[in-house]
Amino acid sequence: MNTKALYTGSFDPMTNGHLDIIKRAARLCDELTVGIIGNPQKKAMFTLEERATMMREALEGIENVKVEHFSGLTADYVNENGFNVIVRGLRSTLDFEYEAPMERMNARLFDHDVETIYLMADPAYSFVSSTIVKEVFNLGGSIEGLVPDVILKYMKRI
Ligand code: ADP
């Protein structure tokens, strides 16, 4: 079966934790779409278009990965585009507690068979979130090695 997977998130900005999940997921499926979700309620560092541009640059060379963005329900996006796998990353039991009800709710909303798969975070990045990276960066601390160099370059331009 052709596996057409979707990895969703805010990616504001993408971290090396996200990158690790993307590389590993890309090896498991035929096509992987990174779906950047727009949430008008969340104050973002980068616009959806900026995030997409930065991520495309950071992911250049990974043949079966593309970057898109969307707003609204993930399940609607999945139904409209025929994804059959959802990829999520798990850093801790906190992520698990958030993901478990989300998986149940999405399962009700999908109009075809979709399997959600969870990849355990690389321990080197299991403490890394976009939020902590932004906080440290905005206060002048080093986040080198925690986000791809391309992403750091864009952050420094702001
Ligand atoms: P959201 O705002 O929707 O949580 P994120 O961009 O923070 O979006 O995360 C998207 C996905 O990536 C989630 O499945 C999250 O658990 C996972 N993730 C986030 N940071 C890491 C990390 N450091 N290592 C592995 N997975 C991660």
Side-chain angles (χ1 to χ4, degrees):
M1 192 182 71
N2 212 41
T3 39
K4 195 175 166 198
L6 174 69
Y7 176 46
T8 57
S10 307
F11 307 111
D12 185 44
M14 176 170 87
T15 69
N16 279 338
H18 295 132
L19 179 62
D20 172 62
I21 298 289
I22 292 167
K23 285 181 176 165
R24 287 161 59 199
R27 288 199 292 266
L28 295 174
C29 59
D30 298 299
E31 289 170 52
L32 175 69
T33 299
V34 177
I36 311 171
I37 305 176
N39 180 351
Q41 262 106 59
K42 267 195 200 168
K43 207 192 148 316
M45 185 172 201
F46 295 101
T47 65
L48 281 176
E49 284 74 20
E50 286 169 337
R51 279 177 256 167
T53 303
M54 291 155 66
M55 289 186 81
R56 285 188 186 120
E57 205 175 316
L59 298 171
E60 230 170 49
I62 311 180
E63 294 297 325
N64 59 338
V65 175
K66 62 178 178 181
V67 180
E68 304 289 352
H69 57 80
F70 67 97
S71 299
L73 273 182
T74 295
D76 287 342
Y77 190 67
V78 167
N79 291 340
E80 281 156 22
N81 293 281
F83 293 105
N84 52 14
V85 171
I86 305 279
V87 174
R88 302 291 292 166
L90 287 183
R91 285 163 291 189
S92 66
T93 54
L94 271 183
D95 276 346
F96 174 80
E97 296 296 340
Y98 173 80
E99 295 292 339
M102 192 66 85
E103 194 272 341
R104 282 297 87 211
M105 181 56 84
N106 278 336
R108 286 170 52 99
L109 301 171
F110 295 141
D111 65 7
H112 59 279
D113 279 343
V114 182
E115 195 64 63
T116 304
I117 63 167
Y118 302 88
L119 300 183
M120 293 298 293
D122 179 333
Y125 304 121
S126 60
F127 68 99
V128 177
S129 65
S130 299
T131 305
I132 201 168
V133 151
K134 277 185 285 195
E135 272 174 17
V136 170
F137 178 80
N138 286 334
L139 293 170
S142 169
I143 54 163
E144 215 147 310
L146 301 182
V147 299
D149 290 345
V150 173
I151 304 292
L152 191 54
K153 178 188 80 184
Y154 279 96
M155 291 175 82
K156 284 180 176 165
R157 273 192 205 162
I158 289 186

